[in-house]
Amino acid sequence: HRRFDYRPKTDPYCQARYTFCPTGSAIPVMKEEDVIEVYRLQAPVWEFKYGDLLGHLKIMHDAVGFRSSLTGKNYTMEWYELFQLGNCTFPHLRPGMDAPFWCNQGAACFYEGIDDAHWKENGTLVLVTTISGAMFNEMAQWVKYDNETGIYYETWTVQASPDNQSIVWFDSYECSKFILRTYQKLADLGAVFKKIQTNYTSIILFSGEPIYLGNETSIFGPLGNKTLAAAIRDFYNPFKPHQTVREFFVDLLKIIDRVILNHQFYLFYNLEYWFLPMKFPYLKIIYEEVPLPVGSKASFGV
């Protein structure tokens, strides 16, 4: 996933259904000698828990919690879409504009408190490691860098096949990937993680080798490829970016239908368009184990 120099200003056209990070606050500076517990937080995306079709899918949201021993305060940190999931996955086809218009950014949100009931009753709230205040402060600096340079949300992982050793053409960039990067950063700083099973949700497309098509200017600009531009617009036409999570999954079914019938998918990734020659089993939502990291340097505990 490409890093960018800065986060672009959001276009006023992009309106969120729910405010992004409404109670967010700056990450505090901890006393270096503080001992901070780190919690793994995971819960189902409840909105479609009881949907007929979607009830059995393990679609989870991930976050990380912290508790300061010196102050007794709790904090939650997570990463999610500025304009909700549909906007990160599907573009708007705006009248008078040739190119699909994307409202796609993701970012970290940090706020005081851990909603124990939400994570415990519906999912997971478990201690994974303990760190010093100094390590927490170093992590906070890294979060700032990660947030300013990793700006686009990416829903899809694209692989050559369902095999474990399969080539990954494109990696997703969403809430769980941020949590995994955070854990890895803490491990690199010396955190030692408990040996517990940790699973994450991925939405995977299966494709032959992707074909690079170009960027917005080269496809939709004055010297662009009109036929290709029309094909891309046509592909995105049935999908609605402004939608609830339930509607998003209804659109997901439309995608599966089109992809299976036509064996094709147009992917927008790091501001570039790619053609995916789709192949069986086309799309899978999986909930699989990703182990907690092992640090890159010896640790003597905190």
Side-chain angles (χ1 to χ4, degrees), residues 43-109:
V45 177
W46 266 141
E47 206 176 334
F48 49 81
K49 163 87 166 82
Y50 303 107
D52 40 352
L53 174 79
L54 311 164
H56 65 283
L57 299 178
K58 280 257 193 194
I59 313 282
M60 310 298 267
H61 178 68
D62 297 273
V64 59
F66 302 98
R67 182 179 179 279
S68 157
S69 300
L70 285 180
T71 66
K73 284 185 173 176
N74 293 325
Y75 302 92
T76 301
M77 183 168 75
E78 54 189 328
W79 196 94
Y80 59 100
E81 325 89 36
L82 265 61
F83 312 108
Q84 282 78 65
L85 184 59
N87 273 310
C88 294
T89 312
F90 308 116
H92 296 257
L93 299 179
R94 293 173 68 179
M97 286 179 74
D98 262 354
F101 184 84
W102 293 85
C103 292
N104 175 10
Q105 283 192 37
C109 174

Side-chain angles (χ1 to χ4, degrees), residues 8-276:
K9 278 200 165 57
T10 59
D11 190 293
Y13 179 83
C14 299
Q15 296 295 320
R17 185 183 284 258
Y18 313 103
T19 308
F20 174 78
C21 204
T23 58
S25 58
I27 304 182
V29 176
M30 300 291 190
K31 287 205 161 70
E32 296 207 345
E33 68 276 14
D34 200 348
V35 175
I36 294 163
E37 295 173 336
V38 181
Y39 292 89
R40 173 173 188 256
L41 310 177
Q42 186 179 66
V45 177
W46 266 141
E47 206 176 334
F48 49 81
K49 163 87 166 82
Y50 303 107
D52 40 352
L53 174 79
L54 311 164
H56 65 283
L57 299 178
K58 280 257 193 194
I59 313 282
M60 310 298 267
H61 178 68
D62 297 273
V64 59
F66 302 98
R67 182 179 179 279
S68 157
S69 300
L70 285 180
T71 66
K73 284 185 173 176
N74 293 325
Y75 302 92
T76 301
M77 183 168 75
E78 54 189 328
W79 196 94
Y80 59 100
E81 325 89 36
L82 265 61
F83 312 108
Q84 282 78 65
L85 184 59
N87 273 310
C88 294
T89 312
F90 308 116
H92 296 257
L93 299 179
R94 293 173 68 179
M97 286 179 74
D98 262 354
F101 184 84
W102 293 85
C103 292
N104 175 10
Q105 283 192 37
C109 174
F110 187 95
Y111 52 95
E112 192 171 325
I114 293 176
D115 181 353
D116 283 38
H118 173 71
W119 302 106
K120 257 192 199 139
E121 290 169 19
N122 308 334
T124 304
L125 192 160
V126 60
L127 180 71
V128 287
T129 187
T130 307
I131 60 173
S132 67
M135 286 156 76
F136 178 92
N137 295 337
E138 282 200 63
M139 177 208 75
Q141 287 302 313
W142 168 84
V143 169
K144 186 171 183 293
Y145 156 79
D146 185 78
N147 215 29
E148 287 170 356
T149 60
I151 51 181
Y152 294 110
Y153 188 100
E154 181 51 54
T155 305
W156 317 105
T157 296
V158 185
Q159 287 183 194
S161 79
D163 302 343
N164 288 342
Q165 274 69 51
S166 164
I167 297 170
V168 176
W169 304 117
F170 297 98
D171 220 339
S172 61
Y173 199 81
E174 27 69 2
C175 66
S176 67
K177 291 295 198 294
F178 172 75
I179 302 307
L180 291 167
R181 290 197 300 283
T182 302
Y183 289 160
Q184 187 59 58
K185 182 65 185 175
L186 291 176
D188 293 344
L189 291 170
V192 178
F193 283 87
K194 295 179 178 297
K195 299 267 189 290
I196 55 169
Q197 182 164 339
T198 51
N199 289 54
Y200 300 91
T201 303
S202 292
I203 305 182
I204 303 180
L205 301 174
F206 299 102
S207 158
E209 186 163 352
I211 298 156
Y212 176 69
L213 301 175
N215 62 21
E216 186 176 302
T217 311
S218 71
I219 298 170
F220 297 95
L223 302 173
N225 178 331
K226 295 279 186 284
T227 315
L228 178 58
I232 292 173
R233 285 178 68 88
D234 180 59
F235 175 77
Y236 285 121
N237 197 40
F239 313 119
K240 297 180 298 296
H242 281 310
Q243 53 190 350
T244 62
V245 173
R246 181 185 288 273
E247 285 167 340
F248 169 78
F249 280 91
V250 171
D251 271 359
L252 197 60
L253 289 179
K254 285 189 203 165
I255 286 188
I256 295 168
D257 196 46
R258 296 197 89 182
V259 157
I260 290 173
L261 284 173
N262 304 324
H263 294 268
Q264 54 185 221
F265 188 98
Y266 290 96
L267 180 74
F268 187 60
Y269 192 90
N270 284 342
L271 304 182
E272 296 174 323
Y273 284 94
W274 295 79
F275 176 77
L276 305 181

